[in-house]
Amino acid sequence: MTKRYLFSDEAGCMTFNRNQNVSKYFIICTVSTSTLDAGHALHDLRHELLTEGTELGDYFHATVDKQAVRDRVYTTILKHDWKVQATICEKAKAQPQVAASKARFYKVPWYYHLRFGLAPYVPADSHLIVTAASIGTRKERTTYINGLSDVASQNIKGSTWCVDFRPAMTDCWLQIADYCAWAIQRKWELGDRRTYDLIQPRITYEYDIWQKGTQLYY
């Protein structure tokens, strides 16, 4: 049985007004791999940076890390094999019924992300180990698990899977997912492709789910 790893994170807030500092997009981002080498390398990088006297936070977090740290992180992780999938949700195009509930807002974007962004790249007879960050409530976690179960049973034949929810600070791979989500968000929100272009060759799926206009997702 082939072992595959999936690490998920999100970018953008869940506020649906148009006030200043409110994100236009909510982005689902996953990083998939069959080897954990990049996470080990990121752990070693932290020790290197500390030895050099670099000031660091509790963990690597692209939004708050200094540019010099971000540069070292991307240089390190891009030496290893992994792929990125992203589903882009333009919040203004969500129906009010959808925007009113975060759990409801999750349902179809996550399902399509897993079905079209992930399943085609997971071999049959795989064991998928999923580690997810930034999903807070029990209802949201249930939505995530149910979507994964549905997609896996229909599209990844002979597969098994398990899910672990944990804070990003506890797993270097979740920090890699955060860095990828940040780069993709910068492109969509600000038109800034500098970091996005670094990871673009690793992106196997990037889809604006509401690009054709408002849709009602149940």
Side-chain angles (χ1 to χ4, degrees), residues 148-157 159 161:
L148 176 62
S149 177
D150 194 3
V151 171
S153 63
Q154 293 184 45
N155 299 281
I156 310 174
K157 303 304 181 183
S159 65
W161 56 272

Side-chain angles (χ1 to χ4, degrees), residues 86-179:
T87 295
I88 317 300
C89 307
E90 186 175 353
K91 294 184 296 182
K93 294 181 180 179
Q95 288 277 3
Q97 301 94 315
V98 176
S101 166
K102 186 176 179 181
R104 196 174 187 186
F105 182 83
Y106 268 146
K107 187 174 184 179
V108 169
W110 260 116
Y111 177 83
Y112 275 80
H113 182 91
L114 292 167
R115 180 176 179 182
F116 298 109
L118 175 68
Y121 306 99
V122 178
D125 192 31
S126 293
H127 179 60
L128 186 62
I129 302 173
V130 181
T131 305
S134 303
I135 298 179
T137 71
R138 181 177 298 179
K139 189 172 184 180
E140 290 156 13
R141 293 184 183 195
T142 299
T143 297
Y144 184 101
I145 291 172
N146 288 345
L148 176 62
S149 177
D150 194 3
V151 171
S153 63
Q154 293 184 45
N155 299 281
I156 310 174
K157 303 304 181 183
S159 65
T160 60
W161 56 272
C162 58
V163 181
D164 184 18
F165 295 100
R166 57 168 59 186
M169 68 176 64
T170 65
D171 195 306
C172 286
W173 271 97
L174 290 178
Q175 294 161 44
I176 294 172
D178 166 78
Y179 261 66

Side-chain angles (χ1 to χ4, degrees), residues 65 76-77 80 84 87 93 95 117 141 170 180 187 210 214 218:
D65 287 344
T76 297
I77 64 178
H80 302 276
V84 182
T87 295
K93 294 181 180 179
Q95 288 277 3
R141 293 184 183 195
T170 65
C180 291
K187 171 202 165 184
W210 291 327
T214 303
Y218 51 89

Side-chain angles (χ1 to χ4, degrees), residues 3-15:
K3 186 178 291 185
R4 298 285 297 182
Y5 301 92
L6 182 73
F7 301 88
S8 71
D9 201 4
E10 301 156 358
C13 65
M14 289 299 295
T15 302

